[in-house]
């Protein structure tokens, strides 16, 4: 029997230097796309996959992320008094069950692997999802749900993957393919940010994972990898051969909101996907093209 997937870890300690000066006082995960902060999209996506428990790995200056999922009593009362039923219903729909959010701190920026290790007491001995909120997903079926479904099928570790042009593989974790079955790819190796000419494929990992708790034991060794950081990819690679490991070609689109151009594209795409905003956005685009 597979253990059910109930937990998600969201690393949110990054400084967001690429978005300064906005991120001097605002956590990058609180930057909005249309009218929702990035972290909200990630939480909604996880909930749509049946996730019930959330752990934010935070750092200094990130308290607004936790506030976002608290009950804003005064705000709700004011909305009630003013008869703003729609806004109130929307806020309430986004509330998480009491006690279902915890935070832990990554005091020093030592890499993604270190951030996940900081969540070890939350993870305990259960499978868990990881969502990197910088990667904003637009999918008919929640990307995390696509991974959760694959996990039910294959067991073990599952990561979302996509093809990128060869010259860009050095920005990502790259998979070495054991067998390509189409939507599912069984993985025989993983390399973090390889030089373009040494990459085993152009299939790269995006910021969505379902991992087995055993990865924590490997992370605990604190071995440094690419860029001198403790890389999640390196510890995931050590699970291969001892547990199933698959990539899933997810269905949907990814916007890299850690990058200015990706973030701007997300604004356009998400506005165009909204019936209330699409006409205005089309009009704007026509004026600037
Ligand atoms: C991280 C991971 C990398 C993955 C990427 C997806 O890199 O280390 O394996 O491909 O996220 O967004 P980062 O973007 O933090 O450098």
């Amino acid at each position: 029997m597979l253990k059910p997937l109930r937990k998600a870890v969201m690393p949110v300690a990054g400084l967001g230097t690429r978005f300064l000066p906005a991120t001097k006082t605002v956590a990058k995960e609180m930057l909005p796309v249309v009218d929702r902060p990035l972290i909200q999209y990630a939480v909604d996506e996880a909930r749509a996959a049946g996730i019930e428990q959330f752990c934010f790995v935070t750092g200094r200056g990130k308290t607004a992320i936790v506030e976002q999922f608290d009950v804003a009593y005064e705000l709700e009362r004011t909305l009630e008094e003013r008869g703003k039923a729609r806004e109130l219903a929307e806020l309430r729909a986004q509330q998480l069950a009491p006690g279902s959010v915890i935070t832990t701190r990554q005091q020093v920026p030592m890499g993604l692997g270190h951030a996940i290790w900081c969540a070890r007491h939350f993870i305990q001995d259960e499978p868990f999802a990881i969502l990197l909120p910088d990667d904003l997903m637009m999918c008919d079926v929640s990307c995390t749900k696509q991974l959760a479904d694959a996990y039910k099928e294959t067991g073990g570790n599952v990561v979302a993957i996509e093809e990128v042009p060869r010259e860009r593989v050095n920005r990502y974790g790259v998979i070495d393919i054991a067998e390509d079955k189409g939507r599912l790819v069984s993985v025989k190796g993983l390399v973090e940010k390889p030089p373009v000419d040494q990459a085993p494929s152009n299939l790269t990992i995006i910021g969505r994972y379902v991992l087995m708790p055993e990865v924590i034991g490997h992370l605990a060794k604190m071995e440094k990898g690419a860029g001198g950081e403790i890389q999640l990819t390196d510890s995931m690679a050590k699970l291969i051969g001892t547990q199933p490991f698959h990539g899933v070609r997810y269905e949907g689109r990814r916007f890299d909101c850690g990058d200015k151009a990706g973030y701007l594209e997300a604004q356009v795409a998400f506005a165009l996907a909204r019936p209330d905003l699409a006409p205005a956005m089309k009009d704007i685009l026509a004026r600037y093209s």
Side-chain angles (χ1 to χ4, degrees):
M1 260 291 277
L2 283 183
K3 284 193 181 170
L5 178 67
R6 305 184 301 172
K7 298 184 175 183
V9 177
M10 301 192 192
V12 293
L15 293 175
T17 48
R18 282 190 281 179
F19 276 90
L20 283 169
T23 46
K24 185 177 172 190
T25 53
V26 176
K28 66 172 171 161
E29 297 78 11
M30 290 304 293
L31 296 177
V33 169
V34 184
D35 52 11
R36 281 198 288 171
L38 288 171
I39 189 69
Q40 182 82 57
Y41 287 96
V43 166
D44 290 348
E45 180 191 317
R47 289 175 84 191
I51 299 293
E52 297 163 359
Q53 299 173 30
F54 302 83
C55 176
F56 298 135
V57 183
T58 68
R60 287 167 62 78
K62 299 279 185 169
T63 44
I65 294 173
V66 183
E67 296 283 330
Q68 182 70 15
F69 298 97
D70 201 354
V71 176
Y73 176 72
E74 300 88 341
L75 175 62
E76 289 196 9
R77 214 176 129 183
T78 309
L79 290 175
E80 219 161 36
E81 281 167 6
R82 296 189 185 163
K84 303 240 178 219
R86 192 178 54 80
E87 289 83 354
L88 188 61
E90 226 165 82
L91 274 194
R92 290 201 170 139
Q94 287 168 358
Q95 264 164 30
L96 300 174
S100 60
V101 177
I102 73 145
T103 66
T104 181
R105 286 225 177 192
Q106 183 190 24
Q107 293 103 327
V108 272
M110 290 170 67
L112 177 59
H114 180 256
I116 301 305
W117 177 80
C118 288
R120 63 199 179 281
H121 298 304
F122 166 78
I123 295 164
Q124 295 189 351
D125 60 353
E126 289 195 27
F128 62 103
I130 301 172
L131 294 91
L132 310 185
D134 277 3
D135 278 341
L136 175 58
M137 308 306 295
M138 184 185 263
C139 303
D140 290 342
V141 175
S142 144
C143 186
T144 300
K145 174 145 195 330
Q146 294 181 42
L147 293 188
D149 290 345
Y151 163 67
K152 280 186 202 144
E153 202 178 315
T154 62
N157 307 275
V158 187
V159 294
I161 54 170
E162 69 181 9
E163 252 117 19
V164 301
R166 267 267 160 197
E167 65 273 15
R168 287 171 49 195
V169 290
N170 56 355
R171 303 180 193 183
Y172 299 101
V174 180
I175 68 169
D176 193 356
I177 302 168
E179 192 189 347
D180 194 337
K181 305 171 196 166
R183 194 180 60 87
L184 276 180
V185 175
S186 67
V187 176
K188 67 173 179 197
L190 295 165
V191 203
E192 180 69 12
K193 301 191 175 74
V196 171
D197 57 348
Q198 287 168 33
S201 75
N202 66 338
L203 272 181
T204 58
I205 304 171
I206 65 152
R208 297 293 184 274
Y209 312 73
V210 170
L211 298 181
M212 298 302 105
E214 287 75 14
V215 75
I216 298 296
H218 296 295
L219 290 170
K221 292 176 192 145
M222 301 287 158
E223 286 165 10
K224 289 186 180 158
E229 296 191 341
I230 297 163
Q231 296 290 354
L232 178 61
T233 303
D234 296 343
S235 285
M236 292 194 306
K238 295 196 179 122
L239 299 173
I240 298 169
T242 67
Q243 297 177 336
F245 207 115
H246 290 86
V248 177
R249 286 192 174 90
Y250 72 93
E251 284 176 22
R253 289 175 69 188
R254 160 182 175 265
F255 299 90
D256 178 5
C257 290
D259 170 76
K260 286 182 189 115
Y263 179 68
L264 292 173
E265 187 184 347
Q267 303 286 0
V268 175
F270 276 78
L272 288 175
R274 288 255 304 245
D276 58 333
L277 290 170
M281 183 49 95
K282 281 184 190 152
D283 190 40
I284 293 167
L285 292 174
R287 276 187 274 134
Y288 282 88
S289 56

